[in-house]
Amino acid sequence: MTTKQKILKEALNLFAEKGYNAVYVGEIAEAVGIKAPSLYKHYKSKQDIFNAILEEMKKSYDEQALTLNMSGSNAETDANIFSAISEDKLVQIGVNLFSYFLHDDYASKFRKMLTVEQFRNPDLSLLYQRQYVDDPLSYQAAMFSLLSANSFLIMENADIMALHFYSPIYMLLTVCDRQPERENEILHLIEQHIRQFNRLYCKEKSK
């Protein structure tokens, strides 16, 4: 692991533990085992470190989506993919993504940090809203709208469909954050949720 990678790792650990505002650059440098001036050779500021963490998160998510043969962010591309897969494959993708967000070091610690900081930092509150509410719902609503238009799903309000699908998944993710010992139970619920959603909205299943 390079020094730059160690800086991001230790910074994220501290952000998740203490919150973004409460962490100073000197603490990050100490956790890495270097002096603050040495840290500034790699990153200009704490905000620069934060931005690098965001970039690493996006890179990690894109790589995970690629392993599942999907975009994860382009609704049109993914609508074409999901229109041609089985329910079992849909469950597999959903469970794999849930497990990724639960266990990926960047994704899980960043989520925990924002969960706390949303009540203390207006900018991070907006980021929390975008990261875990607006962007996922917008992406899924767009995909459900395309699938409905292509007669794969029953024509319903796509925004409400996105709420029906995403809200329980994110809620269960936060349950696992608090009670990791319930993971197997939660994964079973995720599977049941995806199968029921598919039966309710997929035209072939509703006949």
Side-chain angles (χ1 to χ4, degrees):
M1 183 181 293
T2 66
T3 300
K4 290 192 73 169
Q5 291 171 326
K6 288 179 182 177
I7 291 170
L8 297 187
K9 178 178 180 295
E10 295 301 336
L12 185 56
N13 287 339
L14 288 167
F15 293 160
E17 178 187 348
K18 303 174 69 172
Y20 176 79
N21 285 350
V23 175
Y24 297 93
V25 170
E27 293 178 81
I28 300 172
E30 183 179 356
V32 175
I34 59 177
K35 301 294 184 181
S38 297
L39 185 147
Y40 286 120
K41 294 177 182 178
H42 300 282
Y43 297 101
K44 297 177 182 178
S45 63
K46 186 171 73 167
Q47 183 64 50
D48 197 23
I49 294 171
F50 185 86
N51 292 340
I53 290 172
L54 279 175
E55 290 177 10
E56 286 297 318
M57 281 180 54
K58 183 181 185 307
K59 178 182 175 182
S60 175
Y61 174 69
D62 288 344
E63 290 174 352
Q64 176 66 19
L66 189 61
T67 67
L68 298 173
N69 299 313
M70 58 181 286
S71 160
S73 57
N74 186 309
E76 185 172 358
T77 297
D78 289 343
N80 291 329
I81 293 169
F82 287 125
S83 66
I85 64 175
S86 67
E87 183 179 278
D88 286 343
K89 182 64 175 176
L90 184 64
V91 168
Q92 180 186 352
I93 290 174
V95 168
N96 284 346
L97 281 174
F98 184 89
S99 297
Y100 164 77
F101 282 112
L102 181 62
H103 293 295
D104 179 78
D105 207 40
Y106 276 98
S108 62
K109 289 178 179 176
F110 193 81
R111 181 175 63 255
K112 292 170 185 175
M113 178 198 70
L114 286 189
T115 298
V116 174
E117 287 295 320
Q118 66 176 311
F119 302 108
R120 300 190 295 214
N121 184 314
D123 291 335
L124 295 186
S125 178
L126 290 174
L127 179 58
Y128 177 95
Q129 178 71 20
R130 187 173 73 247
Q131 187 93 5
Y132 303 117
V133 182
D134 294 342
D135 286 354
L137 288 175
S138 177
Y139 158 73
Q140 290 174 20
M143 185 167 59
F144 292 147
S145 180
L146 288 165
L147 288 169
S148 297
N150 292 332
S151 300
F152 182 74
L153 295 181
I154 295 171
M155 184 65 75
E156 292 285 353
N157 185 314
D159 291 327
I160 302 303
M161 291 171 71
L163 279 172
H164 286 175
F165 184 77
Y166 176 70
S167 299
I169 292 176
Y170 188 71
M171 180 197 70
L172 291 172
L173 187 62
T174 66
V175 171
C176 278
D177 283 340
R178 295 186 298 272
Q179 299 176 290
E181 70 278 4
R182 296 182 61 185
E183 181 177 350
N184 288 337
E185 169 200 349
I186 297 302
L187 288 175
H188 181 62
L189 285 174
I190 292 292
E191 177 179 349
Q192 290 180 309
H193 166 60
I194 294 172
R195 291 190 187 281
Q196 180 164 309
F197 183 91
N198 195 48
R199 288 196 300 270
L200 289 173
Y201 286 112
C202 183
K203 282 192 174 181
E204 291 183 3
K205 299 293 188 303
S206 64
K207 294 178 180 177

mmCIF file of all heavy atoms in Angstrom, residues 47-78:
data_model
loop_
_atom_site.group_PDB
_atom_site.id
_atom_site.type_symbol
_atom_site.label_atom_id
_atom_site.label_comp_id
_atom_site.label_asym_id
_atom_site.label_seq_id
_atom_site.Cartn_x
_atom_site.Cartn_y
_atom_site.Cartn_z
ATOM 1 N N GLN A 47 -9.932 18.624 2.728
ATOM 2 C CA GLN A 47 -10.953 18.546 1.680
ATOM 3 C C GLN A 47 -10.433 17.775 0.471
ATOM 4 O O GLN A 47 -11.174 17.006 -0.162
ATOM 5 C CB GLN A 47 -11.379 19.951 1.250
ATOM 6 C CG GLN A 47 -12.492 19.981 0.204
ATOM 7 C CD GLN A 47 -13.789 19.394 0.708
ATOM 8 O OE1 GLN A 47 -14.256 19.759 1.774
ATOM 9 N NE2 GLN A 47 -14.375 18.476 -0.060
ATOM 10 N N ASP A 48 -9.168 17.944 0.162
ATOM 11 C CA ASP A 48 -8.550 17.210 -0.945
ATOM 12 C C ASP A 48 -8.554 15.706 -0.657
ATOM 13 O O ASP A 48 -8.814 14.892 -1.552
ATOM 14 C CB ASP A 48 -7.122 17.707 -1.148
ATOM 15 C CG ASP A 48 -6.541 17.313 -2.496
ATOM 16 O OD1 ASP A 48 -7.325 17.061 -3.428
ATOM 17 O OD2 ASP A 48 -5.304 17.248 -2.609
ATOM 18 N N ILE A 49 -8.284 15.349 0.587
ATOM 19 C CA ILE A 49 -8.342 13.932 0.994
ATOM 20 C C ILE A 49 -9.771 13.419 0.859
ATOM 21 O O ILE A 49 -10.003 12.318 0.333
ATOM 22 C CB ILE A 49 -7.854 13.777 2.451
ATOM 23 C CG1 ILE A 49 -6.373 14.134 2.553
ATOM 24 C CG2 ILE A 49 -8.096 12.356 2.956
ATOM 25 C CD1 ILE A 49 -5.856 14.210 3.974
ATOM 26 N N PHE A 50 -10.719 14.206 1.321
ATOM 27 C CA PHE A 50 -12.131 13.834 1.235
ATOM 28 C C PHE A 50 -12.545 13.601 -0.214
ATOM 29 O O PHE A 50 -13.223 12.610 -0.536
ATOM 30 C CB PHE A 50 -12.978 14.937 1.867
ATOM 31 C CG PHE A 50 -14.440 14.628 1.964
ATOM 32 C CD1 PHE A 50 -14.945 13.933 3.043
ATOM 33 C CD2 PHE A 50 -15.321 15.053 0.977
ATOM 34 C CE1 PHE A 50 -16.302 13.644 3.142
ATOM 35 C CE2 PHE A 50 -16.671 14.771 1.059
ATOM 36 C CZ PHE A 50 -17.163 14.080 2.146
ATOM 37 N N ASN A 51 -12.137 14.505 -1.097
ATOM 38 C CA ASN A 51 -12.474 14.360 -2.521
ATOM 39 C C ASN A 51 -11.857 13.097 -3.106
ATOM 40 O O ASN A 51 -12.477 12.421 -3.941
ATOM 41 C CB ASN A 51 -11.999 15.583 -3.296
ATOM 42 C CG ASN A 51 -12.757 16.840 -2.936
ATOM 43 O OD1 ASN A 51 -13.858 16.779 -2.392
ATOM 44 N ND2 ASN A 51 -12.176 17.998 -3.226
ATOM 45 N N ALA A 52 -10.640 12.768 -2.672
ATOM 46 C CA ALA A 52 -9.974 11.552 -3.156
ATOM 47 C C ALA A 52 -10.713 10.312 -2.680
ATOM 48 O O ALA A 52 -10.803 9.311 -3.411
ATOM 49 C CB ALA A 52 -8.519 11.527 -2.687
ATOM 50 N N ILE A 53 -11.243 10.349 -1.464
ATOM 51 C CA ILE A 53 -12.040 9.233 -0.953
ATOM 52 C C ILE A 53 -13.290 9.045 -1.806
ATOM 53 O O ILE A 53 -13.668 7.914 -2.151
ATOM 54 C CB ILE A 53 -12.403 9.451 0.529
ATOM 55 C CG1 ILE A 53 -11.161 9.306 1.402
ATOM 56 C CG2 ILE A 53 -13.476 8.469 0.982
ATOM 57 C CD1 ILE A 53 -11.379 9.687 2.856
ATOM 58 N N LEU A 54 -13.941 10.148 -2.160
ATOM 59 C CA LEU A 54 -15.111 10.072 -3.035
ATOM 60 C C LEU A 54 -14.764 9.430 -4.380
ATOM 61 O O LEU A 54 -15.518 8.603 -4.902
ATOM 62 C CB LEU A 54 -15.685 11.471 -3.273
ATOM 63 C CG LEU A 54 -16.586 12.051 -2.184
ATOM 64 C CD1 LEU A 54 -16.949 13.496 -2.534
ATOM 65 C CD2 LEU A 54 -17.843 11.225 -2.033
ATOM 66 N N GLU A 55 -13.628 9.808 -4.929
ATOM 67 C CA GLU A 55 -13.200 9.243 -6.213
ATOM 68 C C GLU A 55 -12.928 7.748 -6.090
ATOM 69 O O GLU A 55 -13.278 6.961 -6.979
ATOM 70 C CB GLU A 55 -11.942 9.970 -6.703
ATOM 71 C CG GLU A 55 -12.186 11.403 -7.142
ATOM 72 C CD GLU A 55 -10.894 12.106 -7.540
ATOM 73 O OE1 GLU A 55 -9.859 11.416 -7.642
ATOM 74 O OE2 GLU A 55 -10.931 13.332 -7.743
ATOM 75 N N GLU A 56 -12.294 7.340 -4.977
ATOM 76 C CA GLU A 56 -12.032 5.925 -4.754
ATOM 77 C C GLU A 56 -13.329 5.144 -4.595
ATOM 78 O O GLU A 56 -13.436 3.999 -5.050
ATOM 79 C CB GLU A 56 -11.143 5.741 -3.518
ATOM 80 C CG GLU A 56 -9.692 6.112 -3.734
ATOM 81 C CD GLU A 56 -9.018 5.231 -4.771
ATOM 82 O OE1 GLU A 56 -9.238 4.010 -4.767
ATOM 83 O OE2 GLU A 56 -8.266 5.776 -5.602
ATOM 84 N N MET A 57 -14.301 5.737 -3.928
ATOM 85 C CA MET A 57 -15.599 5.087 -3.766
ATOM 86 C C MET A 57 -16.267 4.859 -5.117
ATOM 87 O O MET A 57 -16.801 3.783 -5.378
ATOM 88 C CB MET A 57 -16.507 5.938 -2.881
ATOM 89 C CG MET A 57 -16.230 5.819 -1.405
ATOM 90 S SD MET A 57 -17.361 6.858 -0.448
ATOM 91 C CE MET A 57 -18.950 6.320 -1.045
ATOM 92 N N LYS A 58 -16.254 5.877 -5.965
ATOM 93 C CA LYS A 58 -16.868 5.747 -7.288
ATOM 94 C C LYS A 58 -16.150 4.687 -8.109
ATOM 95 O O LYS A 58 -16.788 3.857 -8.776
ATOM 96 C CB LYS A 58 -16.842 7.086 -8.024
ATOM 97 C CG LYS A 58 -17.536 7.028 -9.381
ATOM 98 C CD LYS A 58 -17.485 8.347 -10.112
ATOM 99 C CE LYS A 58 -18.288 8.287 -11.401
ATOM 100 N NZ LYS A 58 -17.921 7.159 -12.284
ATOM 101 N N LYS A 59 -14.821 4.692 -8.049
ATOM 102 C CA LYS A 59 -14.041 3.697 -8.787
ATOM 103 C C LYS A 59 -14.369 2.292 -8.309
ATOM 104 O O LYS A 59 -14.569 1.368 -9.111
ATOM 105 C CB LYS A 59 -12.548 3.980 -8.606
ATOM 106 C CG LYS A 59 -11.630 2.987 -9.291
ATOM 107 C CD LYS A 59 -10.164 3.326 -9.007
ATOM 108 C CE LYS A 59 -9.235 2.277 -9.592
ATOM 109 N NZ LYS A 59 -7.813 2.566 -9.276
ATOM 110 N N SER A 60 -14.445 2.111 -7.000
ATOM 111 C CA SER A 60 -14.757 0.804 -6.426
ATOM 112 C C SER A 60 -16.148 0.343 -6.830
ATOM 113 O O SER A 60 -16.358 -0.819 -7.194
ATOM 114 C CB SER A 60 -14.644 0.868 -4.897
ATOM 115 O OG SER A 60 -15.041 -0.349 -4.306
ATOM 116 N N TYR A 61 -17.123 1.264 -6.782
ATOM 117 C CA TYR A 61 -18.495 0.913 -7.162
ATOM 118 C C TYR A 61 -18.582 0.558 -8.645
ATOM 119 O O TYR A 61 -19.247 -0.420 -9.017
ATOM 120 C CB TYR A 61 -19.443 2.069 -6.845
ATOM 121 C CG TYR A 61 -20.848 1.842 -7.347
ATOM 122 C CD1 TYR A 61 -21.654 0.867 -6.766
ATOM 123 C CD2 TYR A 61 -21.357 2.585 -8.411
ATOM 124 C CE1 TYR A 61 -22.942 0.646 -7.235
ATOM 125 C CE2 TYR A 61 -22.638 2.366 -8.885
ATOM 126 C CZ TYR A 61 -23.432 1.398 -8.282
ATOM 127 O OH TYR A 61 -24.703 1.175 -8.755
ATOM 128 N N ASP A 62 -17.932 1.320 -9.484
ATOM 129 C CA ASP A 62 -17.943 1.030 -10.924
ATOM 130 C C ASP A 62 -17.353 -0.350 -11.199
ATOM 131 O O ASP A 62 -17.869 -1.100 -12.055
ATOM 132 C CB ASP A 62 -17.148 2.088 -11.689
ATOM 133 C CG ASP A 62 -17.860 3.432 -11.738
ATOM 134 O OD1 ASP A 62 -19.072 3.470 -11.454
ATOM 135 O OD2 ASP A 62 -17.202 4.443 -12.056
ATOM 136 N N GLU A 63 -16.290 -0.694 -10.486
ATOM 137 C CA GLU A 63 -15.672 -2.014 -10.658
ATOM 138 C C GLU A 63 -16.614 -3.116 -10.197
ATOM 139 O O GLU A 63 -16.716 -4.173 -10.830
ATOM 140 C CB GLU A 63 -14.348 -2.080 -9.891
ATOM 141 C CG GLU A 63 -13.245 -1.220 -10.498
ATOM 142 C CD GLU A 63 -11.998 -1.177 -9.642
ATOM 143 O OE1 GLU A 63 -12.044 -1.701 -8.489
ATOM 144 O OE2 GLU A 63 -10.975 -0.611 -10.091
ATOM 145 N N GLN A 64 -17.312 -2.880 -9.078
ATOM 146 C CA GLN A 64 -18.268 -3.867 -8.581
ATOM 147 C C GLN A 64 -19.412 -4.058 -9.565
ATOM 148 O O GLN A 64 -19.833 -5.188 -9.850
ATOM 149 C CB GLN A 64 -18.810 -3.433 -7.214
ATOM 150 C CG GLN A 64 -19.883 -4.339 -6.627
ATOM 151 C CD GLN A 64 -19.373 -5.713 -6.273
ATOM 152 O OE1 GLN A 64 -18.171 -5.919 -6.136
ATOM 153 N NE2 GLN A 64 -20.271 -6.664 -6.109
ATOM 154 N N ALA A 65 -19.941 -2.957 -10.091
ATOM 155 C CA ALA A 65 -21.025 -3.029 -11.065
ATOM 156 C C ALA A 65 -20.581 -3.800 -12.305
ATOM 157 O O ALA A 65 -21.340 -4.601 -12.869
ATOM 158 C CB ALA A 65 -21.495 -1.629 -11.441
ATOM 159 N N LEU A 66 -19.353 -3.578 -12.724
ATOM 160 C CA LEU A 66 -18.822 -4.259 -13.902
ATOM 161 C C LEU A 66 -18.781 -5.766 -13.696
ATOM 162 O O LEU A 66 -19.065 -6.534 -14.621
ATOM 163 C CB LEU A 66 -17.421 -3.730 -14.217
ATOM 164 C CG LEU A 66 -16.799 -4.169 -15.546
ATOM 165 C CD1 LEU A 66 -17.650 -3.708 -16.723
ATOM 166 C CD2 LEU A 66 -15.378 -3.616 -15.680
ATOM 167 N N THR A 67 -18.448 -6.203 -12.482
ATOM 168 C CA THR A 67 -18.420 -7.652 -12.208
ATOM 169 C C THR A 67 -19.813 -8.253 -12.310
ATOM 170 O O THR A 67 -19.954 -9.467 -12.502
ATOM 171 C CB THR A 67 -17.840 -7.949 -10.813
ATOM 172 O OG1 THR A 67 -18.736 -7.466 -9.801
ATOM 173 C CG2 THR A 67 -16.469 -7.340 -10.632
ATOM 174 N N LEU A 68 -20.844 -7.426 -12.162
ATOM 175 C CA LEU A 68 -22.231 -7.896 -12.259
ATOM 176 C C LEU A 68 -22.819 -7.623 -13.644
ATOM 177 O O LEU A 68 -24.021 -7.770 -13.856
ATOM 178 C CB LEU A 68 -23.088 -7.204 -11.190
ATOM 179 C CG LEU A 68 -22.675 -7.488 -9.740
ATOM 180 C CD1 LEU A 68 -23.473 -6.618 -8.780
ATOM 181 C CD2 LEU A 68 -22.848 -8.963 -9.397
ATOM 182 N N ASN A 69 -21.955 -7.222 -14.572
ATOM 183 C CA ASN A 69 -22.359 -6.958 -15.961
ATOM 184 C C ASN A 69 -23.431 -5.883 -16.068
ATOM 185 O O ASN A 69 -24.403 -6.017 -16.832
ATOM 186 C CB ASN A 69 -22.839 -8.257 -16.626
ATOM 187 C CG ASN A 69 -21.762 -9.315 -16.683
ATOM 188 O OD1 ASN A 69 -20.630 -9.034 -17.066
ATOM 189 N ND2 ASN A 69 -22.091 -10.533 -16.287
ATOM 190 N N MET A 70 -23.273 -4.819 -15.288
ATOM 191 C CA MET A 70 -24.211 -3.709 -15.341
ATOM 192 C C MET A 70 -23.443 -2.399 -15.193
ATOM 193 O O MET A 70 -22.262 -2.402 -14.849
ATOM 194 C CB MET A 70 -25.254 -3.839 -14.219
ATOM 195 C CG MET A 70 -24.646 -3.901 -12.821
ATOM 196 S SD MET A 70 -25.871 -4.096 -11.489
ATOM 197 C CE MET A 70 -26.598 -2.456 -11.445
ATOM 198 N N SER A 71 -24.135 -1.297 -15.468
ATOM 199 C CA SER A 71 -23.516 0.013 -15.319
ATOM 200 C C SER A 71 -23.580 0.491 -13.872
ATOM 201 O O SER A 71 -22.606 0.961 -13.320
ATOM 202 C CB SER A 71 -24.214 1.025 -16.240
ATOM 203 O OG SER A 71 -23.977 2.340 -15.817
ATOM 204 N N GLY A 72 -24.760 0.387 -13.291
ATOM 205 C CA GLY A 72 -24.938 0.861 -11.926
ATOM 206 C C GLY A 72 -25.249 2.330 -11.825
ATOM 207 O O GLY A 72 -25.592 2.822 -10.749
ATOM 208 N N SER A 73 -25.154 3.045 -12.949
ATOM 209 C CA SER A 73 -25.434 4.481 -12.941
ATOM 210 C C SER A 73 -26.164 4.961 -14.193
ATOM 211 O O SER A 73 -26.802 6.006 -14.174
ATOM 212 C CB SER A 73 -24.135 5.279 -12.783
ATOM 213 O OG SER A 73 -23.221 4.949 -13.827
ATOM 214 N N ASN A 74 -26.083 4.187 -15.279
ATOM 215 C CA ASN A 74 -26.753 4.541 -16.528
ATOM 216 C C ASN A 74 -28.065 3.759 -16.617
ATOM 217 O O ASN A 74 -28.065 2.555 -16.852
ATOM 218 C CB ASN A 74 -25.846 4.223 -17.718
ATOM 219 C CG ASN A 74 -26.428 4.708 -19.041
ATOM 220 O OD1 ASN A 74 -27.573 4.436 -19.369
ATOM 221 N ND2 ASN A 74 -25.616 5.431 -19.797
ATOM 222 N N ALA A 75 -29.184 4.443 -16.416
ATOM 223 C CA ALA A 75 -30.486 3.771 -16.357
ATOM 224 C C ALA A 75 -30.847 3.097 -17.679
ATOM 225 O O ALA A 75 -31.409 1.998 -17.689
ATOM 226 C CB ALA A 75 -31.563 4.781 -15.971
ATOM 227 N N GLU A 76 -30.533 3.739 -18.786
ATOM 228 C CA GLU A 76 -30.889 3.177 -20.093
ATOM 229 C C GLU A 76 -30.139 1.872 -20.345
ATOM 230 O O GLU A 76 -30.719 0.874 -20.785
ATOM 231 C CB GLU A 76 -30.591 4.179 -21.200
ATOM 232 C CG GLU A 76 -31.054 3.719 -22.576
ATOM 233 C CD GLU A 76 -30.927 4.806 -23.625
ATOM 234 O OE1 GLU A 76 -30.510 5.929 -23.279
ATOM 235 O OE2 GLU A 76 -31.264 4.528 -24.790
ATOM 236 N N THR A 77 -28.844 1.875 -20.048
ATOM 237 C CA THR A 77 -28.041 0.658 -20.220
ATOM 238 C C THR A 77 -28.562 -0.467 -19.333
ATOM 239 O O THR A 77 -28.746 -1.606 -19.782
ATOM 240 C CB THR A 77 -26.569 0.940 -19.874
ATOM 241 O OG1 THR A 77 -26.056 1.905 -20.778
ATOM 242 C CG2 THR A 77 -25.740 -0.327 -19.960
ATOM 243 N N ASP A 78 -28.825 -0.157 -18.081
ATOM 244 C CA ASP A 78 -29.232 -1.193 -17.139
ATOM 245 C C ASP A 78 -30.660 -1.665 -17.372
ATOM 246 O O ASP A 78 -30.988 -2.826 -17.098
ATOM 247 C CB ASP A 78 -29.046 -0.699 -15.704
ATOM 248 C CG ASP A 78 -27.573 -0.610 -15.326
ATOM 249 O OD1 ASP A 78 -26.752 -1.215 -16.031
ATOM 250 O OD2 ASP A 78 -27.245 0.066 -14.335
#
